[in-house]
């Protein structure tokens, strides 16, 4: 059975047959170290995976306790599909997947909201790359992409949000940002009721025509739902609607 991307009123479920094993080695591409400067003068470290003729630049933002290495296997696959990708280390992060060079500069852990200047630095950089800009967030950054997206409506083309939620003291912050957006958004979550409900609440704040919701048959938290090592039963199925959405918004 084929996957279909549908408006929010018609939710997707993963139901295709298992795919061939496509591990990181099948999508190896060289990566370039990048250092950006946030508005507060702090350095933001990243890794750029460049497509030869990019259809868009995808900005990859990680989950809590994580780093740009969350995208070590995801970014090369995006390049293979024709998209350049920049994965950054945010100041609210850690060593879950590998070293976080940005957070290592700080004597104390940063809050999620304190990472906004890092995301903004990436958006400002991408806006100079002469290609559509797509925001991609995981967990807390899956929420923040709605906030920074609302502040950069003229700079971005689309949003992909993996396990968003109202992770902040202001429990209306993310819905309010989502309501201000006028670009397509792909919203998904782990295969459990709590995450599905949180994602739906945010999706419902946007016009249904802009929203593609995907509910996986097998899925884990954040962007890890696309990593075979983290989601061996669901990763390949969960890639299919992501790539279909990208072909739709940046063909």
């Amino acid at each position: 059975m084929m996957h279909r991307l549908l408006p929010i009123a018609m939710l997707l479920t993963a139901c295709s047959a298992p795919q061939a094993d496509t591990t990181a080695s099948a999508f190896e591409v060289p990566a370039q170290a990048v250092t950006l400067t946030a508005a507060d003068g702090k350095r933001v470290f990243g890794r750029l995976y460049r497509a030869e003729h990019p259809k868009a630049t995808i900005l990859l933002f990680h989950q809590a306790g994580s780093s740009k290495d969350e995208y070590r296997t995801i970014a090369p696959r995006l390049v293979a599909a024709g998209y350049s990708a920049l994965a950054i280390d945010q100041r609210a992060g850690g060593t879950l997947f590998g070293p976080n060079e940005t957070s290592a500069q700080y004597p104390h852990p940063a809050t999620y909201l304190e990472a906004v200047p890092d995301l903004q630095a990436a958006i400002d950089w991408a806006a100079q790359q002469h290609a559509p800009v797509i925001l991609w967030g995981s967990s807390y950054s899956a929420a923040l992409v709605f906030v920074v997206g609302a502040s950069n409506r003229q700079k971005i083309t689309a949003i992909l949000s993996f396990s968003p939620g109202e992770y902040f003291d202001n429990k209306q912050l993310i819905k309010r940002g989502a309501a201000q957006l006028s670009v397509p958004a792909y919203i998904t979550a782990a295969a459990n009721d709590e995450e599905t409900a949180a994602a739906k609440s945010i999706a419902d704040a946007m016009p249904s025509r802009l929203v593609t919701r995907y509910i996986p048959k097998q899925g884990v938290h954040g962007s890890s739902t696309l990593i075979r090592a983290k989601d061996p039963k669901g990763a390949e199925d969960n890639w299919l609607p992501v790539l279909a959405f990208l072909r739709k918004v940046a063909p």
Side-chain angles (χ1 to χ4, degrees):
M1 187 182 299
M2 295 178 61
H3 287 269
R4 295 176 296 162
L5 290 177
L6 299 174
I8 189 172
M10 303 179 68
L11 305 182
L12 286 166
T13 57
C15 53
S16 65
Q19 303 295 305
D21 184 7
T22 49
T23 58
S25 62
F27 299 99
E28 290 180 352
V29 297
Q32 172 189 349
V34 173
T35 303
L36 310 176
T37 302
D40 59 1
K42 300 295 187 180
R43 290 182 298 170
V44 181
F45 296 91
R47 186 177 295 127
L48 175 62
Y49 301 80
R50 195 185 296 275
E52 186 174 356
H53 301 291
K55 303 172 186 177
T57 299
I58 303 178
L59 300 178
L60 302 171
F61 305 132
H62 60 70
Q63 68 178 68
S66 186
S67 70
K68 59 185 176 296
D69 285 325
E70 183 173 337
Y71 295 100
R72 186 179 292 276
T73 62
I74 292 173
R77 190 156 182 176
L78 295 174
V79 172
Y83 304 94
S84 289
L86 174 69
I88 66 166
D89 285 344
Q90 293 134 223
R91 66 189 74 182
T95 59
L96 182 62
F97 288 84
N100 185 313
E101 298 174 274
T102 301
S103 66
Q105 301 174 101
Y106 296 85
H108 305 290
T111 67
Y112 297 161
L113 282 174
E114 287 174 335
V116 167
D118 304 333
L119 276 61
Q120 186 63 53
I123 294 170
D124 292 341
W125 173 87
Q128 304 301 315
Q129 303 307 305
H130 309 294
V133 177
I134 296 174
L135 308 185
W136 176 312
S138 175
S139 190
Y140 90 85
S141 69
L144 284 185
V145 292
F146 292 101
V147 175
V148 297
S151 300
N152 293 273
R153 291 189 291 273
Q154 304 305 313
K155 296 180 180 178
I156 66 171
T157 295
I159 282 174
L160 291 93
S161 176
F162 293 79
S163 300
E166 295 284 358
Y167 299 123
F168 312 93
D169 290 340
N170 181 348
K171 299 305 179 184
Q172 300 299 313
L173 178 66
I174 308 309
K175 287 189 282 287
R176 187 159 58 241
Q180 298 177 50
L181 289 172
S182 57
V183 298
Y186 178 89
I187 302 175
T188 188
N192 64 61
D193 291 343
E194 182 179 0
E195 285 208 11
T196 298
K200 180 180 186 300
S201 176
I202 293 166
D204 285 347
M206 295 183 64
S208 60
R209 62 183 174 80
L210 295 176
V211 178
T212 298
R213 283 191 63 211
Y214 173 70
I215 299 177
K217 182 177 180 181
Q218 299 283 344
V220 299
H221 186 71
S223 296
S224 290
T225 201
L226 302 178
I227 301 173
R228 179 177 286 274
K230 297 290 185 179
D231 186 14
K233 294 182 179 180
E236 286 305 312
D237 279 343
N238 297 341
W239 264 106
L240 298 178
V242 169
L243 295 173
F245 178 79
L246 290 173
R247 287 193 297 270
K248 175 183 173 182
V249 299

